[in-house]
Amino acid sequence: SPAMELPPSHFSAGRAAAVALGYLRYLRGGPGRGLELRALRRARRQDIDDVGHKYYLELELEDVLDKGRTVNCTAEVLYPLGSESTAPDVQVTLQGELGSTEQADVEFYNQIRSLEKELVAENIPDSHGNVPPELEPIHLLAWAASGYVIWQNSTENTKFHLAQVKHVKQVKRSDEDLQFDYVLLLHEMVSQEVMPWEVAVLWHPRRGIRVLPGS
């Protein structure tokens, strides 16, 4: 059937947008960039026989560290039929460029590498919603990691949001990567459930973020 226009405020459009944003955060996020949805401009839904439901979205994004810079993005989110365990298929196209994070990435990397002992922190943000400036990159890295978890675990009936980093500890490695083991609290907005997720994250300025399999 042809794609049907949805009001951008429609709950199913918002759920699909959350998946697209999660995927994009995982793809392009990191300690020096935090992508936020500024506006969902347009949404269409198509029911494809024997395949699933496909959403076509037009999003406006902003970087929390660079509020003046917005970038438009189109996304397609396909929820495959009949399988709650298969991640949605997501494709995103950015119109325009995100600001460079090269300098911030290298500074963060060197700063973590120079620590006497491994970083450990908890409750980011704290109960007042505050993130200490020195933990902002750790928080944004968690955003990117949560993007992967959200993309992999979303269905048409869920909407996940990273509520808090409950705990993070850096793990010593013999290679060039930084590793952080996170316990993330994800808020599922439909059921109102809050779920802890354990994820191990590798990061390097040149290679970006990787979420370790099995986590």
Side-chain angles (χ1 to χ4, degrees), residues 36-53:
E36 266 290 38
L37 183 61
R38 180 180 271 200
L40 174 52
R41 296 254 172 256
R42 187 177 181 205
R44 289 174 299 146
R45 189 179 91 182
Q46 188 178 16
D47 299 347
I48 306 171
D49 289 344
D50 304 326
V51 178
H53 295 161

Side-chain angles (χ1 to χ4, degrees), residues 109-124:
Y109 182 77
N110 292 338
Q111 178 213 334
I112 297 293
R113 295 283 286 205
S114 68
L115 292 176
E116 296 281 306
K117 50 189 224 289
E118 288 79 67
L119 177 137
V120 177
E122 53 190 29
N123 301 333
I124 319 169

